[in-house]
Amino acid sequence: MKYLFKIYATKPSYTEVIVDADTEEQALEKVKNLKSEELEWQNHSLRKERVTYEVFIKSDKDSTE
């Protein structure tokens, strides 16, 4: 048997951003346009990492490879 595992991990993290705007709508628009990779993320120490597994089973007899 062959087993294919797809493992998805999400580590709880957070960042804080101060936005200068005249209205709440303008501030929200600026936050929506931020690029995630440009923010300084920190790990959230009180929450655990979440991992999801998907397992696909295929018999060697069914394999064409």
Side-chain angles (χ1 to χ4, degrees):
M1 297 286 271
K2 293 183 181 178
Y3 298 88
L4 168 64
F5 285 83
K6 291 186 178 182
I7 302 169
Y8 304 91
T10 303
K11 189 168 252 182
S13 55
Y14 71 95
T15 190
E16 294 180 353
V17 178
I18 297 174
V19 176
D20 185 26
D22 293 328
T23 65
E24 185 177 339
E25 290 80 18
Q26 289 176 347
L28 185 57
E29 190 63 33
K30 287 182 179 184
V31 169
K32 286 181 180 180
N33 289 323
L34 292 173
K35 294 182 181 173
S36 179
E37 62 273 3
E38 294 176 355
L39 299 173
E40 293 183 30
W41 293 98
Q42 299 176 21
N43 291 333
H44 190 293
S45 61
L46 300 177
R47 302 210 45 198
K48 294 192 177 197
E49 181 175 304
R50 178 179 177 183
V51 178
T52 303
Y53 297 91
E54 286 185 54
V55 181
F56 299 89
I57 302 172
K58 185 173 185 179
S59 170
D60 288 337
K61 295 176 187 174
D62 296 335
S63 179
T64 57
E65 296 178 11

